[in-house]
């Protein structure tokens, strides 16, 4: 899978999007502090964080006995650039279709 595919797969789950937003708001967070905010187990949060980590959206840093998660922006930036390129391609195609339709009038 490409980076973009991994990001889309990870963000397809609303719980993972919520976790990513919370981590971004606080700068970093542990699975325990995140689990306190949701009606799911700490272990479920850890699994979601693992998916986000595999997609390159968060990084896990061990500090003593804790693992602190922080947002990584590179994968999201790559995905945003990919989306912008697709949008620009479609804009060019639509503009071309518009010019053709206007020429036929």
């Amino acid at each position: 899978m490409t980076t973009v595919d991994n990001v889309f797969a990870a963000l397809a789950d609303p719980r993972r999007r919520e976790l990513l937003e919370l981590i971004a708001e606080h700068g970093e967070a542990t699975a325990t502090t995140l689990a306190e905010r949701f009606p799911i187990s700490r272990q479920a949060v850890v699994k979601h964080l693992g998916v986000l980590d595999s997609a390159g959206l968060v990084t896990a840093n061990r500090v003593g006995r804790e693992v602190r998660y922080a947002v990584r922006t590179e994968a999201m930036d790559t995905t945003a650039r990919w989306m912008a390129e697709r949008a620009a391609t479609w804009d060019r195609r639509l503009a071309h279709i518009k010019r053709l339709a206007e020429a036929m009038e």
Side-chain angles (χ1 to χ4, degrees):
M1 275 185 144
T2 67
T3 298
V4 172
D5 293 335
N6 289 332
V7 168
F8 282 141
L11 295 179
D13 185 283
R15 182 72 70 206
R16 287 194 284 268
R17 291 192 304 270
E18 288 179 90
L19 288 167
L20 190 61
E21 287 178 30
L22 277 174
I23 296 167
E25 285 176 18
H26 294 94
E28 66 179 17
T30 66
T32 302
T33 59
L34 291 167
E36 293 169 356
R37 308 282 302 263
F38 297 99
I40 60 175
S41 69
R42 180 188 173 283
Q43 194 57 29
V45 168
V46 169
K47 286 183 181 183
H48 283 302
L49 291 169
V51 173
L52 293 171
D53 189 18
S54 293
L57 295 169
V58 298
T59 185
N61 296 308
R62 183 169 289 283
V63 178
R65 293 178 49 200
E66 291 183 328
V67 177
R68 295 182 183 167
Y69 294 87
V71 173
R72 293 181 58 199
T73 60
E74 296 85 4
M76 190 70 78
D77 291 342
T78 298
T79 303
R81 279 192 305 277
W82 180 87
M83 291 175 68
E85 290 167 5
R86 300 295 75 72
T89 298
W90 279 105
D91 287 345
R92 285 190 301 275
R93 288 179 178 173
L94 291 172
H96 178 70
I97 291 169
K98 180 182 178 192
R99 284 191 304 276
L100 290 173
E102 289 172 346
M104 294 176 79
E105 291 178 354

